[in-house]
Amino acid sequence: MVARVWKSITRKKRFEGDSHLDTNLRRCLGLMDITFLALGQMMGAGIYVLTGTVVRNQAGPSIVFSFVLAGIAALLSAFSYAEFGARFPRAGSAYTYTYIGFGELWAFIVGWTIPLEYMIGNAAVARSWSAYFDNIIDDYVKNTTIGLVGELGTPGGFFSTYPDILSFILICLCSCVIAIGSKVSANVNTSFVILNILVIIIVIISGMCYADFSNWTGTTSDGRSNFFPYGVTGTLTGAATCFFSYIGFEVLATAGEEVKSPHRTIPVATFLSIGVIMTLYILVSSTLTLMVPYDQVHTTAPFAEAFDARGCTVVKYIISIGALIGLTNNLVTGVFALPRAVYAMADDGLIFGWLAQVNSYTKVPLNAIVVFTLINAVIALIFDIEALVEFLSIGTLFAYSFVSASVLVLRYQSAPIDGDEKRMDNGGELSSWVPGRNFWESLPSGTSISVAVAALIAAFFWLSFTFRTGFYQDWYGQISIGLNGLVIVLIMAFILGHQQNSLKTNFKVPCVPFLPCLSLLVNVFMMSYLTCATWVRLFVWMGVGLLIYFSYGIRHSKEAKRLTTIADIRMSSTFPNKNNRIPKT
């Protein structure tokens, strides 16, 4: 019983030949389409909201370096996404990649976090859009709703103070656009991105006319550097916050089944989108900190207030329109990605199959769009997003970590030679100097590297815990760091003792295993600094998901049916009589 369950939860997704290109969706998106999808997901709150908070409270003008460091951290994860997107252009993103690298149960766990991540993100953006618009019209929507319906909850509680009808309607309208078809969705998003970039260019050019470089030089009245008012620690803290403004490039992988020439297009679009957004973040943050001293920056509407203080009313209203356009970008791409993440799991049989049904005309997963749009709209309507928004952080970092780990597992496994599944290369073989070589090679293929990666993640958590708790300042903490460093070196040596496979793809992560391991280290450290309440919510959500998996998914898995079919074919070829028995002699 235990062996059968273990075999079920560890089975991995496999594609034969070019089957990874087969899809019920329509491949209609080109390079610019998906590049603008990623830009639409990343561009918005990161510029118009996050910048003011980081400048005022965390980094000051050194936010420029914060965005650079955050961009580099995002790039480390992007390498892994680009390799998987080139190899396996399927909907599902991190879920599909984990299915290939670690097996069904871990794939389900990762995939179960992704729809929630998108729904909370979409709800937060919709409520931000609603609040921004309501602020322009002097809170007319809020006051009218409270007058008609009354208050729903108390400030800081689980429910919002009033039902946000505007955000509910906005999510439904965006889903209507998405339901028309992928190409229409991409065209709408592209239009918004172009308008947003034009607004940002106006902001940069206008703002630089008021640049005062004394805001970057000299010291404050209490002797602090004007550029590093919170020190290097503040810059690093700002980088951790700014990292989440780069979240969105993974939408490229989610749309993998609708991309033309995905083996080339997805890697190029990934690095192009991150390069463009990093450049815009650096220019915009430089403009703001040169216009206004860091301690006078408005935290919620930094650019509008900065131009208002200069008497530039026209530019102020242009920025307000740009903020609404940017938030609309975020919402359209988030609503686009949500049903694709659900479709991938449903198409594999791990959640209810009717969610994978594709409309014959529009070629989109219409059932998934309708059901999860309604759930998403209700979340935006009644829940207080601030109580849930940290889920975005842990869900994203969780997914990024598994994708980086899956690259290691996949790279150190045997691969078909010239696409022939019957001829495998020497990938995964251990060098003669590795201790216990015979034992490891007696286990199923990929076991040794999977164990090594799991041990490495545990060691990274051990290291991050030492810093998180402040133990590193004491003698026993320093001994712990020394032992941990030795363990990490030994694990890395064990990984390097494996031979990489010779599979040729359009893009590969360079410097394997070092870049994926560095990405893992960064992600683990950021996860360890999240609150205990966030981890508790994650485990509760995982518990609900595991109930669904063990009651439904494990029995309806298409991968299980595929393996059963292969076993039946082999049995039939061995014993060709109809009862599959050895003939009597």
Side-chain angles (χ1 to χ4, degrees):
M1 175 73 176
V2 173
R4 191 162 59 247
V5 172
W6 176 256
K7 187 175 181 180
S8 297
I9 65 177
T10 56
R11 58 192 170 219
K12 298 179 181 180
K13 192 174 184 64
R14 291 288 179 263
F15 297 102
E16 297 178 3
D18 290 332
S19 63
H20 60 279
L21 294 174
D22 298 337
T23 177
N24 294 323
L25 306 179
R26 179 178 294 148
R27 291 197 180 274
C28 57
L29 304 180
L31 175 62
M32 287 297 102
D33 292 322
I34 61 168
T35 300
F36 278 113
L37 272 176
L39 288 174
Q41 183 76 355
M42 291 186 281
M43 192 184 300
I47 289 177
Y48 296 107
V49 179
L50 185 67
T51 305
T53 301
V54 175
V55 169
R56 183 69 179 266
N57 301 325
Q58 295 179 340
S62 69
I63 187 178
V64 175
F65 290 134
S66 296
F67 273 123
V68 172
L69 293 173
I72 292 171
L75 193 62
L76 292 175
S77 295
F79 275 118
S80 300
Y81 272 87
E83 175 167 334
F84 268 111
R87 284 195 184 199
F88 308 105
R90 307 288 298 182
S93 186
Y95 153 76
T96 302
Y97 307 155
T98 305
Y99 206 163
I100 294 166
F102 281 94
E104 190 168 283
L105 179 61
W106 284 111
F108 183 89
I109 290 173
V110 171
W112 185 242
T113 66
I114 294 175
L116 181 67
E117 178 188 328
Y118 279 124
M119 285 192 289
I120 294 175
N122 294 343
V125 170
R127 289 188 74 99
S128 298
W129 194 102
S130 174
Y132 212 106
F133 179 80
D134 210 16
N135 185 56
I136 295 174
I137 58 177
D138 298 323
D139 292 333
Y140 176 80
V141 175
K142 177 181 178 180
N143 295 332
T144 302
T145 304
I146 292 176
L148 292 174
V149 182
E151 293 190 353
L152 187 63
T154 57
F158 192 66
F159 293 98
S160 61
T161 53
Y162 71 98
D164 196 337
I165 304 294
L166 195 57
S167 62
F168 182 96
I169 295 171
L170 188 62
I171 288 177
C172 292
L173 287 175
C174 287
S175 68
C176 290
V177 174
I178 300 303
I180 295 173
S182 300
K183 191 64 178 178
V184 173
S185 307
N187 289 340
V188 170
N189 177 74
T190 298
S191 302
F192 280 130
V193 171
I194 291 172
L195 286 173
N196 203 11
I197 290 176
L198 290 175
V199 170
I200 291 170
I201 290 172
I202 292 173
V203 169
I204 293 170
I205 294 174
S206 303
M208 283 300 180
C209 296
Y210 299 98
D212 181 359
F213 285 91
S214 65
N215 292 333
W216 280 18
T217 57
T219 59
T220 61
S221 57
D222 56 357
R224 293 183 297 170
S225 166
N226 270 332
F227 194 81
F228 291 99
Y230 299 98
V232 177
T233 302
T235 306
L236 296 176
T237 303
T241 305
C242 291
F243 174 81
F244 301 106
S245 61
Y246 288 93
I247 292 174
F249 64 82
E250 68 272 17
V251 75
L252 301 171
T254 305
E257 290 190 37
E258 294 158 282
V259 177
K260 295 183 288 188
S261 304
H263 297 304
R264 172 188 171 275
T265 302
I266 291 178
V268 172
T270 300
F271 299 120
L272 183 61
S273 60
I274 289 181
V276 170
I277 202 68
M278 185 189 294
T279 302
L280 290 176
Y281 281 150
I282 291 170
L283 291 175
V284 164
S285 58
S286 299
T287 301
L288 178 64
T289 52
L290 287 171
M291 282 183 68
V292 184
Y294 77 92
D295 56 351
Q296 298 176 22
V297 170
H298 196 276
T299 54
T300 55
F303 292 99
E305 292 298 323
F307 281 102
D308 190 43
R310 296 289 189 276
C312 302
T313 309
V314 175
V315 179
K316 175 186 175 181
Y317 283 112
I318 290 175
I319 291 171
S320 298
I321 294 170
L324 292 177
I325 292 173
L327 292 171
T328 304
N329 259 354
N330 285 160
L331 193 56
V332 168
T333 51
V335 172
F336 175 89
L338 172 60
R340 271 82 183 166
V342 175
Y343 163 83
M345 296 182 70
D347 191 48
D348 286 334
L350 301 190
I351 58 176
F352 312 113
W354 53 270
L355 290 171
Q357 291 180 11
V358 174
N359 183 271
S360 59
Y361 179 72
T362 60
K363 295 296 182 181
V364 296
L366 197 56
N367 289 349
I369 291 174
V370 172
V371 171
F372 279 83
T373 291
L374 291 174
I375 297 172
N376 203 170
V378 169
I379 291 174
L381 179 70
I382 63 174
F383 289 107
D384 180 60
I385 302 305
E386 290 183 10
L388 300 172
V389 76
E390 269 203 342
F391 243 178
L392 281 173
S393 307
I394 196 166
T396 301
L397 290 170
F398 194 70
Y400 285 4
S401 299
F402 264 97
V403 172
S404 297
S406 296
V407 166
L408 291 171
V409 172
L410 195 68
R411 194 69 76 84
Y412 291 104
Q413 285 185 0
S414 59
I417 300 174
D418 298 327
D420 185 356
E421 298 283 344
K422 296 180 180 179
R423 296 191 303 137
M424 307 296 283
D425 65 10
N426 295 325
E429 283 192 3
L430 290 165
S431 301
S432 58
W433 56 264
V434 175
R437 177 189 177 190
N438 293 334
F439 167 75
W440 291 112
E441 291 190 341
S442 68
L443 299 176
S445 176
T447 301
S448 59
I449 190 65
S450 297
V451 170
V453 171
L456 186 66
I457 293 172
F460 285 161
F461 268 110
W462 176 11
L463 182 64
S464 64
F465 177 78
T466 306
F467 282 94
R468 178 74 172 85
T469 55
F471 287 166
Y472 69 94
Q473 298 175 0
D474 301 310
W475 64 268
Y476 51 83
Q478 292 166 8
I479 292 176
S480 174
I481 291 174
L483 291 174
N484 185 266
L486 178 61
V487 170
I488 290 173
V489 169
L490 292 175
I491 294 172
M492 290 296 296
F494 182 73
I495 292 174
L496 288 168
H498 291 72
Q499 183 173 325
Q500 290 192 39
N501 61 46
S502 57
L503 186 67
K504 295 181 180 179
T505 62
N506 286 54
F507 177 81
K508 281 188 174 183
V509 179
C511 303
V512 170
F514 301 105
L515 270 184
C517 289
L518 181 59
S519 176
L520 272 175
L521 178 63
V522 171
N523 293 337
V524 165
F525 258 82
M526 285 194 282
M527 278 194 287
S528 69
Y529 276 80
L530 296 173
T531 63
C532 293
T534 302
W535 282 95
V536 170
R537 293 188 191 112
L538 176 68
F539 290 138
V540 171
W541 178 251
M542 288 302 168
V544 175
L546 290 174
L547 284 175
I548 294 175
Y549 174 72
F550 283 107
S551 62
Y552 179 89
I554 197 170
R555 294 184 294 108
H556 293 83
S557 168
K558 287 187 178 179
E559 191 62 25
K561 295 176 182 177
R562 186 186 73 84
L563 293 174
T564 302
T565 301
I566 292 173
D568 289 343
I569 291 173
R570 287 175 178 172
M571 182 69 75
S572 298
S573 62
T574 305
F575 307 119
N577 64 321
K578 65 178 181 179
N579 293 319
N580 289 334
R581 295 175 181 171
I582 300 175
K584 294 181 180 180
T585 58

